[in-house]
């Protein structure tokens, strides 16, 4: 049977659009379905949040040929400093010690989205937007998708459906894929600020008894701020005026970077962990947040999604080169088994850090500080933490090694 498309990607957020751009050179017939309207100028995730991109993610973007478009808005992270307010423990990671130009980069999600859209528009891949994948039916040799576009329903067929429809994935739910879900009871309050002293490309993770505070170096000597607060306090904190909010941040962070001068607009994200127990079903593959939604404590969610992209591209490009069907079970199983350990480990590590960094019990606080100090004194441990932060573990796919698929 001749299908309308080889691959349909449902969800044109960061993960879905990156996959489309990465697969463009294969010549596969593709469409991206995105629910948000073009007038909105961006899908919901292309907002003001600062995304920390690991060194490994830069390699993936280089492999896709996208890094040149992202580099102008990406600020290098040369050092990472982790400490606890008012306590003795701290540790640091240094790009020089790891012999890399930067441990990672910080780019506003809005600018990342812009760079992706510019490349995507040049590929000629069909963009069904605003359109919503309403339902689908899987058959032996393909999948039929019901697409709802401004009240008009149409049906299209494909060999493979990629679910890149985010943490609340309806595709995942419709398939009955079970998830592990944990509501942290915390909300991330996101903004940016200008400190009095230069940030010197250092990223800070400050542990406080109310939850972690991350400051990520950005252009124009700004820091991207992710302040994690108990959800019960979040409305009150969101309603503070700028000067009181700056005072709160200053109190939690201290004066290492001088007095905080200005703060930008603020937005809030309730935090939960969602991990899908399966990442493929017949003719469907889950990608990005649809497969795993993580706490932003170590800035790994999209980085993990990019490694999904790298592996999925490897298996699909290989199948297409051999003249095989990219939606075949064997191909999708190869993706699932290759991604399993990285997805599981990253969810475990991030979840562990989120709980550890938010635990006010004094025995945990003391252990945490001894751990930080030990990590700082032992280069072997520091190196392992740095490799984890740089996303260099499980980097086997061509794109993960910075190589193009052509
Ligand atoms: C506060 C915060 C800070 C973060 N910081 C970092 C960081 O520093 N580093 C990092 O790596 N990650 C970070 N993340 C995580 C990162 O933002 C996400 O991992 C990433 O945005 C997920 O992209 P996605 O494309 O998988 O999902 P989404 O961004 O959720 O995109 C899903 C898309 O699917 C569309 N959609 C949904 N349903 C349908 C449907 N039925 N039909 C058609 N379209 C549909 C939606 O409109 C949306 O555009 C952070 C997250 C938060 C909340």
């Amino acid at each position: 049977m001749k299908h309308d498309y080889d691959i349909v990607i449902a969800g044109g957020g960061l993960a879905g659009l990156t996959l489309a751009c990465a697969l463009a050179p294969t010549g596969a017939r593709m469409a991206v379905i995105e629910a948000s309207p073009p007038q909105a100028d961006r899908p919901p995730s292309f907002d003001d949040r600062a995304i920390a991109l690991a060194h490994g993610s830069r390699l993936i973007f280089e492999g896709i040929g996208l890094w040149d478009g992202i580099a102008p808005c990406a600020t290098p992270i040369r050092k990472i400093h982790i400490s606890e307010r008012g306590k003795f423990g701290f540790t640091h990671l240094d790009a020089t010690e790891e012999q890399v130009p930067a441990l990672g980069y910080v780019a506003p999600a809005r600018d990342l989205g812009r760079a992706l859209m510019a490349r995507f528009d040049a590929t000629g891949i069909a963009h069904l937007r605003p359109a919503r994948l309403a339902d689908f039916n899987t058959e032996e040799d393909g999948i039929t998708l019901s697409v709802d576009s401004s009240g008009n329903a149409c049906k299209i067929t494909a060999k493979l459906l990629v679910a890149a429809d985010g943490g609340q994935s309806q595709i995942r739910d419709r398939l009955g894929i079970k998830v592990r879900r944990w509501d942290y009871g915390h909300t991330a309050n996101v903004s940016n600020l200008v400190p009095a002293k230069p940030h010197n490309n250092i990223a800070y993770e400050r542990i406080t008894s109310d939850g972690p505070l991350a400051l990520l170096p950005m252009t124009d000597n700004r820091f991207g701020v992710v302040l994690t607060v108990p959800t019960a306090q979040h409305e009150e904190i969101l309603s503070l005026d700028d000067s009181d909010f700056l005072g709160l941040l200053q109190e939690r962070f201290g004066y290492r970077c001088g007095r905080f001068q200005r703060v930008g607009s603020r937005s809030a994200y309730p935090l939960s962990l969602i991990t899908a127990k399966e990442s493929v079903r017949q003719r469907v593959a889950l990608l990005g947040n649809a497969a795993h939604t993580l706490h932003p404590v170590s800035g790994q969610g999209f980085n993990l999604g990019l490694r999904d992209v790298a592996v999925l591209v490897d298996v699909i490009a290989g199948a297409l080169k051999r003249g095989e069907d990219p939606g075949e079970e064997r191909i999708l199983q190869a993706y699932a088994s290759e991604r399993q350990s990285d997805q599981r480990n990253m969810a475990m590590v991030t979840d562990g850090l989120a709980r550890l960094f938010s635990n006010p019990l004094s025995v945990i606080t003391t252990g945490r500080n001894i751990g930080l100090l030990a990590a700082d004194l032992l280069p072997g441990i520091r190196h392992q933490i740095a490799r984890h932060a740089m996303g260099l573990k499980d980097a086997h796919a061509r794109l993960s090694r910075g190589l193009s698929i052509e």
Side-chain angles (χ1 to χ4, degrees):
M1 172 184 167
K2 176 97 174 123
H3 297 288
D4 299 317
Y5 297 102
D6 296 315
I7 302 160
V8 168
I9 301 169
L14 290 174
L17 275 191
T18 308
L19 178 71
C21 293
L23 282 172
T26 64
R29 292 167 308 134
M30 286 190 281
V32 173
I33 308 173
E34 169 52 42
S36 66
Q39 301 89 288
D41 183 36
R42 55 195 166 96
S45 56
F46 296 174
D47 56 18
D48 286 327
R49 78 187 83 165
I51 299 281
L53 294 170
H55 176 69
S57 295
R58 171 186 173 155
L59 295 180
I60 293 174
F61 280 128
E62 279 178 354
I64 302 172
L66 265 164
W67 183 248
D68 287 349
I70 293 170
C73 64
T75 305
I77 302 173
R78 311 258 187 239
K79 288 185 184 168
I80 301 176
H81 188 276
I82 308 168
S83 61
E84 177 151 7
R85 180 182 54 177
K87 296 287 186 306
F88 59 87
F90 77 94
T91 194
H92 78 281
L93 309 171
D94 194 324
T96 321
E97 272 181 27
E98 299 305 320
Q99 299 175 351
V100 287
L103 294 166
Y105 299 83
V106 183
R110 186 187 296 275
D111 294 343
L112 263 181
R114 227 173 255 142
L116 280 169
M117 282 301 295
R119 165 57 71 90
F120 176 81
D121 286 344
T123 63
I125 295 171
H127 205 190
L128 313 182
R129 183 186 182 199
R132 177 164 279 283
L133 177 64
D135 201 2
F136 55 92
N137 269 310
T138 314
E139 297 111 40
E140 184 63 29
D141 68 337
I143 186 158
T144 302
L145 311 169
S146 307
V147 181
D148 189 349
S149 176
S150 315
N152 297 319
C154 73
K155 286 201 190 303
I156 56 176
T157 60
K159 293 177 185 167
L160 170 65
L161 168 65
V162 178
D165 54 343
Q168 306 304 327
S169 173
Q170 288 173 1
I171 301 175
R172 184 187 65 210
D173 292 349
R174 158 85 170 71
L175 288 167
I177 293 179
K178 293 206 166 63
V179 294
R180 178 178 163 228
R181 195 184 293 265
W182 177 259
D183 178 0
Y184 288 107
H186 279 85
T187 296
N189 193 308
V190 171
S191 57
N192 59 62
L193 66 78
V194 181
K197 292 185 186 169
H199 60 48
N200 292 328
N201 297 83
I202 303 175
Y204 295 91
E205 185 78 46
R206 194 94 165 113
I207 306 164
T208 80
S209 53
D210 296 312
L213 165 65
L215 296 191
L216 304 168
M218 293 173 75
T219 50
D220 304 322
N221 198 43
R222 286 170 306 150
F223 275 121
V225 180
V226 185
L227 171 69
T228 306
V229 296
T231 299
Q233 297 169 15
H234 125 82
E235 287 289 353
E236 190 191 332
I237 289 176
L238 205 61
S239 67
L240 291 177
D241 65 24
D242 284 0
S243 129
D244 287 346
F245 185 61
L246 276 176
L248 176 93
L249 293 175
Q250 192 90 63
E251 191 260 319
R252 295 207 178 170
F253 183 76
Y255 285 85
R256 185 179 283 271
C257 296
R259 186 169 286 284
F260 294 156
Q261 316 265 305
R262 282 196 314 279
V263 68
S265 59
R266 287 170 253 160
S267 43
Y269 304 83
L271 301 177
S272 52
L273 169 77
I274 303 171
T275 52
K277 294 198 171 167
E278 297 160 83
S279 55
V280 297
R281 277 285 178 88
Q282 191 184 15
R283 299 212 167 263
V284 182
L286 305 191
L287 182 86
N289 271 28
H292 41 72
T293 301
L294 307 183
H295 191 293
V297 64
S298 56
Q300 290 296 337
F302 179 49
N303 291 301
L304 186 61
L306 277 175
R307 299 203 287 282
D308 294 345
V309 168
V311 171
L312 192 55
V313 167
D314 248 18
V315 299
I316 291 177
L320 291 171
K321 240 181 224 160
R322 296 187 297 272
E324 293 170 1
D325 173 351
E328 235 178 59
E329 190 186 344
R330 188 173 44 85
I331 307 291
L332 297 186
Q333 283 303 338
Y335 164 67
S337 63
E338 179 68 24
R339 291 304 299 138
Q340 198 178 28
S341 89
D342 188 22
Q343 289 179 349
R344 193 192 293 147
N345 291 342
M346 196 49 83
M348 218 167 64
V349 169
T350 307
D351 184 45
L353 285 177
R355 289 164 196 264
L356 183 67
F357 283 10
S358 306
N359 198 319
L361 285 179
S362 70
V363 59
I364 304 275
T365 311
T366 309
R368 186 161 65 203
N369 277 271
I370 293 169
L372 284 174
L373 213 54
D376 202 63
L377 294 171
L378 299 170
I381 298 186
R382 263 207 328 269
H383 177 62
Q384 285 310 315
I385 300 175
R387 281 186 64 76
H388 164 85
M390 287 192 290
L392 292 178
K393 290 192 156 184
D394 295 294
H396 311 300
R398 276 188 72 80
L399 290 177
S400 292
R401 289 178 284 138
L403 304 174
S404 121
I405 58 160
E406 286 168 289

